[in-house]
Amino acid sequence: MAKVRYERTGAAAVLTIDRRERRNAVDSETAGLLLQGFRDFEADDEARVLVLTGEGPEAFCAGADLKAIAEAAGGLTAEAVDAVTAKTEGPMGFTRLTPSKPTIAAISGWCLAGGLELALWCDLRIGTTTARLGFTERRFGVPLIDGGTQRLPAIVGMGRALELILTGRVVEADEALGWGLVNEVVSEGGHLERALAIAEGLAAFPQQTMLSDRRAALEGHGLPLAEGLAVEAELGHASIETGVRGAARFAAGEGRGAEGAGV
């Protein structure tokens, strides 16, 4: 059975880590398959949103499969560590790459270590009531090298990010929602369905403008305001025509009272 599945569901591509016996931990082969799934998504013009999830309710992803990596390398030698950290796309598959289209993590159960870094890579995170998130590799001295130190502060703020990074404590679903670490909490088993519903909503919007605004937010984050505004202006200019057509529809009566807003 494949360790990673790439499937199309409506406008979404669903990328599923299928190593349930290892709580969907990622070994070297799985990382390669995740990277291939990312490339398939980017190449598929009809796939407008990527939904990343894990097989089964027990875990989204428990992080890197350190046991498998150590066994394959004959131990965690300096050479083995260098081989993992040198991967330009990211040790977990694609975490050092930026997707051109929206991404959603559908999380049930454990979302730990590199698994949390995978979830942070996504634009949105939908968790079930059983979702538990944390950098538990802190106990073993394993560093965050899949973007966690950079993405988590941007999502929850530096103070809360440092709390998770330094202590390695696990945050449960309700607290994660309060922090903004997850965007929604749904009932057990409903995470993928909700993620797909959001994906269909995003796919229904005028794509050029939505993708331009997404890119402006990502590329402008952390820049001085003047530079961020320049990025926004440059990217927004290309979709002015789409905006003018949308304004005309609004003037004709479409979308009044926020109709059609939200997904």
Side-chain angles (χ1 to χ4, degrees), residues 1 3 20 63 96 100 135-136 147 163 181 214-215 223 247 249:
M1 181 179 294
K3 295 180 178 180
R20 195 169 175 180
R96 294 176 188 156
S100 63
F135 289 133
T136 52
E163 180 181 347
L181 182 53
R214 173 183 178 273
R215 182 178 169 191
L223 294 177
R249 294 200 307 274

Side-chain angles (χ1 to χ4, degrees), residues 19-218:
R19 299 190 73 217
R20 195 169 175 180
E21 75 285 357
R22 297 291 297 159
R23 290 187 174 178
N24 297 322
V26 173
D27 60 5
S28 181
E29 180 184 0
T30 304
L33 292 170
L34 285 171
L35 177 59
Q36 185 57 54
F38 168 83
R39 289 173 172 161
D40 291 343
F41 167 65
E42 286 291 315
D44 187 347
D45 291 337
E46 299 302 314
R48 294 189 166 183
V49 179
L50 178 68
V51 175
L52 178 64
T53 194
E55 181 64 29
E58 300 88 2
F60 169 77
C61 175
D65 190 336
L66 300 179
K67 180 179 179 181
I69 293 171
E71 289 175 351
L76 286 176
T77 62
E79 292 77 11
V81 171
D82 287 344
V84 170
T85 57
K87 291 181 178 179
T88 56
E89 301 91 352
M92 294 288 285
F94 49 66
T95 48
R96 294 176 188 156
L97 303 176
T98 301
S100 63
K101 298 175 282 189
T103 55
I104 305 172
I107 303 166
S108 178
W110 299 110
C111 178
L112 305 175
L116 178 51
E117 292 183 280
L118 283 175
L120 294 170
W121 175 87
C122 294
D123 298 327
L124 303 174
R125 285 155 294 283
I126 307 302
T128 67
T129 53
T130 65
R132 293 176 175 82
L133 307 90
F135 289 133
T136 52
E137 70 268 54
R138 178 56 56 235
R139 297 170 296 167
F140 309 112
V142 176
L144 307 181
I145 52 175
D146 280 279
T149 63
Q150 303 305 300
R151 295 188 178 104
L152 185 61
I155 293 168
V156 303
M158 185 61 75
R160 284 171 167 165
L162 285 174
E163 180 181 347
L164 292 191
I165 291 168
L166 294 175
T167 69
R169 82 175 181 90
V170 174
V171 175
E172 299 202 10
D174 286 346
E175 186 174 11
L177 179 63
W179 282 22
L181 182 53
V182 297
N183 300 90
E184 292 185 29
V185 174
V186 298
S187 60
E188 181 62 18
H191 54 306
L192 182 56
E193 179 181 1
R194 178 56 181 149
L196 289 172
I198 293 173
E200 290 298 324
L202 297 182
F205 292 140
Q207 292 296 291
Q208 182 177 359
T209 304
M210 184 188 72
L211 295 178
S212 173
D213 289 347
R214 173 183 178 273
R215 182 178 169 191
L218 293 173

